[in-house]
Amino acid sequence: QIHIRHKVISAETGKHFTALLLDDRKRSVLILGSGLDVDTEPYEGNERYRILAKGGKISPDEKVDKIVAGFSHMLLLTNKGKLFAVGDGTNGKLGTCQLERDGTTSRFVAARTPQLVRFPWAQNQIMSLAAGEQHSAVTTTDGHLYVWGQGRKGQLGVGKFCHCYPMPAKIELPSGDDFATFVSCGKDHTLVATASGKVLGFGSTCYGQAGSQSLFYQVCSPEVVRTGHFKDAYHSIIQVAAGKGHSAVIFNNSELCMFGQKDTCGGISLLSKVSKQRHNCLEPSLVTFS
């Protein structure tokens, strides 16, 4: 049993860790588990509980407003609109462009304390942020989408399959659907909700999790997810969620549809339409709860 004196604002989970944003004076981030290799300090003098050490990069008058967790890294957004990254730096997913040399080779440096994510050009206030296994993304109030990290399976949406982008890249979205409002990063794919009420997907689609109807298993540019049953309800999409091999879309009437790997979205009888099929759900289907 965990005894925490302050209210928990939000909770995020990685592979082997949980992060809790606390409503204390400093907006501390409590780290549980061992999957995030970062510097910590005692929570209110209690060695049993450890909070993320900010390391001087986040100013004393700056508070963390939001956190998201990836496989082995985290993003932190402050009340001043600054974005910080911490944890494993493999494939440039931190967006800090920090490298270290080992002989003739270079590798991305892990961040044991939060490091500022530097955008190549000025951007408006961040609206949503997401962290996947090896990539990260944000949307801004002016509707732009920025991604960085590994792109081998097209999950960056930059129009090509690439090893990595170590700093945020602005993504070109389809005409008419070019105002991004919300982003979610899965293991190897990305989903984006737009102001036009549509959902865009890119990256690995081997289970149909990116919503693409392509015959290829990977898509490197944003494509509109054909929502089938909900084709007349585009305007009501309020949130998207990308997992390992499946995805979900939530509507403002509390309806939910899912698509992707059957074992994770239909195999537990939540999807009555899909649970009777042998194959993956390639088109979003309504979830019915009994």
Side-chain angles (χ1 to χ4, degrees), residues 181-182 192-200 224-227 230-241 248-253 255 257 259 284:
T181 59
F182 189 88
V192 181
T194 71
S196 61
K198 295 183 181 179
V199 176
L200 307 176
V224 175
V225 175
R226 307 301 176 185
T227 52
F230 300 102
K231 62 183 178 180
D232 296 323
Y234 276 139
H235 64 279
S236 63
I237 293 173
I238 59 172
Q239 188 174 349
V240 293
V249 179
I250 301 175
F251 299 83
N252 60 2
N253 61 356
E255 287 187 325
C257 70
F259 47 102

Side-chain angles (χ1 to χ4, degrees), residues 128-130 137-139 145-147 181-185 190-193 202 240:
S128 73
L129 55 157
V138 300
T139 63
L145 170 67
Y146 297 85
V147 297
T181 59
F182 189 88
V183 62
S184 179
C185 295
T190 306
L191 291 183
V192 181
F202 44 93
V240 293

Side-chain angles (χ1 to χ4, degrees), residues 32 136 248 258-259 270:
L32 305 173
S136 305
M258 299 179 71
F259 47 102
L270 286 180

Side-chain angles (χ1 to χ4, degrees), residues 1-217:
Q1 189 174 4
I2 300 175
H3 297 282
I4 303 173
R5 188 165 67 89
H6 296 95
K7 179 181 178 181
V8 176
I9 297 174
S10 64
E12 288 284 321
T13 58
K15 184 180 181 183
H16 294 302
F17 72 93
T18 299
L20 305 177
L21 179 60
L22 304 182
D23 192 20
D24 60 358
R25 183 173 56 86
K26 298 180 180 180
R27 284 291 178 90
S28 302
V29 180
L30 184 69
I31 305 296
L32 305 173
S34 58
L36 191 66
D37 190 15
V38 296
D39 290 339
T40 60
E41 55 192 36
Y43 168 60
E44 296 191 333
N46 188 341
E47 289 287 347
R48 182 181 176 187
Y49 302 129
R50 311 290 296 184
I51 59 174
L52 177 67
K54 295 181 179 178
K57 296 294 183 179
I58 301 178
S59 61
D61 61 336
E62 204 166 4
K63 295 182 179 181
V64 177
D65 267 354
K66 188 174 183 180
I67 60 174
V68 293
F71 193 76
S72 56
H73 75 294
M74 284 182 58
L75 300 180
L76 303 89
L77 182 64
T78 71
N79 60 340
K80 292 189 175 182
K82 293 181 181 180
L83 184 67
F84 293 84
V86 66
D88 176 43
T90 307
N91 295 309
K93 59 180 173 282
L94 296 182
T96 57
C97 294
Q98 293 182 326
L99 293 167
E100 64 180 6
R101 286 197 169 275
D102 183 10
T104 59
T105 61
S106 299
R107 64 177 182 178
F108 292 104
V109 179
R112 296 191 60 85
T113 57
Q115 302 296 314
L116 183 66
V117 177
R118 299 189 181 278
F119 290 78
W121 47 75
Q123 92 286 346
N124 282 19
Q125 186 176 354
I126 292 174
M127 186 157 51
S128 73
L129 55 157
E133 180 172 324
Q134 295 293 334
H135 70 300
S136 305
V138 300
T139 63
T140 57
T141 52
D142 55 355
H144 290 150
L145 170 67
Y146 297 85
V147 297
W148 60 95
Q150 188 183 83
R152 290 178 179 175
K153 296 187 177 180
Q155 63 266 49
L156 299 185
V158 293
K160 61 182 179 179
F161 302 100
C162 56
H163 174 63
C164 70
Y165 269 56
M167 63 190 304
K170 187 163 68 173
I171 305 305
E172 291 295 327
L173 302 180
S175 177
D177 304 307
D178 54 358
F179 196 103
T181 59
F182 189 88
V183 62
S184 179
C185 295
K187 180 180 183 293
D188 296 314
H189 74 292
T190 306
L191 291 183
V192 181
T194 71
S196 61
K198 295 183 181 179
V199 176
L200 307 176
F202 44 93
S204 174
T205 187
C206 57
Y207 300 113
Q209 68 268 40
S212 173
Q213 301 301 309
S214 172
L215 297 177
F216 300 100
Y217 285 135

